[in-house]
Amino acid sequence: MTVVGFHVSHEQLPPGEGLRVARLAQNAGFDAAMCSDHLAPWSERQGESSLAWPWLGAALAGTDLSYGTVCAPGQRYHPVVVAQAVATLGAMFPGRFWVALGSGENLNEHVTGDPWPPKADRDARLAECVQVIRALLRGEEVDHSGLVVAHQARLWTLPEVVPPLLCPALTAATAARHAAWADGLITVNQPVADLRQIVEAYREAGGAGEVMVQVHLSWAPDLAEAEAVALDQWRTNTGSPETAADTATTAEFDARARDVGISDVRRTVLVSADLGELTARLAELRDAGADRLYLHHVGRRQDAFVEAFGAHVLPALR
């Protein structure tokens, strides 16, 4: 049975509110949860960006759900620090945590003052980070010198169950590039044909484990309200993967999205007042190869979404 999870967007929700709605989602019947890990939001209108790691500890202790996040080691986060965070959560909450390791976005990474590398270099750096993190999670002492450096690094607290390390991919090329090291794949909602292509590229390159899809959607009982929420909150997230990775500041994202309309937003967000229509769209993603769907209502108010989807959409998908 497909797992249906709830996404907590730290760019939109203060951490205490995120914890409250995670509990609400558990009570409504969601199977799992995930959260974002950003230093800055994509828009001034989103207005938040708390640190994922302490929040994950509180959420894992405060609910019975499993959790995951997408993290970018190599610049803002040293891979040894990432490995220690993963090991600690894994030791405290066996089998309830996963992390996806990505090549990062300039929005979050430029604060170090280091140059923002081109995609090929970021992919190579990520591969080195994964090598370091996996060795540390095996209990090895690591010395590594390359695009990242680790010197006499060792983890003294290790999990009995090593959390899965997933590959986040927005394109088939990225899915294939990182399939060899990944324990699973996570991507975002897109046309079914494109999703199938990403899944096929990952599997053909030897990718194992589950396929997860984070689904951006906007629902309200009134279509005009659902469209207004999507346009207000998510119009900065309609650019290409390259634009998303390379844009440096929240202000630049807002400037780029100044003339974006609802038709553009609909390419990345499922927008509807019809729960039956949204259920059908989610079922299409499930049938295209998703083992897990993580639903992200792009509004800043979550209660009505959680209640409606818990009562009507989750039972229908199952």
Side-chain angles (χ1 to χ4, degrees), residues 210-287:
E210 293 183 312
V211 171
M212 307 182 186
V213 179
Q214 182 191 53
V215 185
H216 304 300
L217 56 91
S218 181
W219 170 84
D222 177 73
L223 179 59
E225 180 184 350
E227 290 181 336
V229 167
L231 186 61
D232 178 70
Q233 286 290 295
W234 219 247
R235 67 174 179 261
T236 48
N237 299 66
T238 57
S240 68
E242 294 78 16
T243 298
D246 292 337
T247 302
T249 67
T250 301
E252 289 177 38
F253 271 101
D254 275 328
R256 287 177 179 272
R258 189 174 294 118
D259 298 322
V260 168
I262 188 61
S263 60
D264 301 302
V265 176
R266 282 182 173 275
R267 289 200 292 267
T268 58
V269 180
L270 306 182
V271 183
S272 181
D274 186 336
L275 291 172
E277 177 190 359
L278 289 170
T279 301
R281 298 286 297 277
L282 293 169
E284 288 177 351
L285 296 173
R286 175 198 64 196
D287 295 342

Side-chain angles (χ1 to χ4, degrees), residues 146-238:
L147 295 172
V148 293
V149 175
H151 177 62
Q152 294 181 336
R154 176 185 169 187
L155 298 181
W156 292 81
T157 297
L158 292 168
E160 292 184 10
V161 179
V162 176
L165 307 183
L166 275 60
C167 159
L170 299 178
T171 67
T174 297
R177 169 73 175 80
H178 297 290
W181 61 256
D183 298 319
L185 171 72
I186 186 166
T187 186
V188 297
N189 58 290
Q190 52 208 285
V192 170
D194 294 343
L195 177 60
R196 290 188 189 277
Q197 189 176 38
I198 289 175
V199 174
E200 289 171 3
Y202 178 73
R203 296 300 189 200
E204 289 173 1
E210 293 183 312
V211 171
M212 307 182 186
V213 179
Q214 182 191 53
V215 185
H216 304 300
L217 56 91
S218 181
W219 170 84
D222 177 73
L223 179 59
E225 180 184 350
E227 290 181 336
V229 167
L231 186 61
D232 178 70
Q233 286 290 295
W234 219 247
R235 67 174 179 261
T236 48
N237 299 66
T238 57

Side-chain angles (χ1 to χ4, degrees), residues 10 19 33-37 51-63 65-71 77 80-101 133 137 155-165:
H10 288 306
L19 187 57
M34 66 173 290
C35 72
S36 49
D37 180 13
L51 182 61
W53 296 96
W55 186 89
L56 282 163
L60 283 157
T63 72
L65 301 174
S66 64
Y67 287 83
T69 193
V70 180
C71 173
Y77 285 132
V80 175
V81 174
V82 172
Q84 187 181 29
V86 171
T88 299
L89 288 178
M92 294 174 70
F93 307 103
R96 291 179 56 203
F97 176 67
W98 55 263
V99 63
L101 302 175
I133 291 167
L137 290 172
L155 298 181
W156 292 81
T157 297
L158 292 168
E160 292 184 10
V161 179
V162 176
L165 307 183

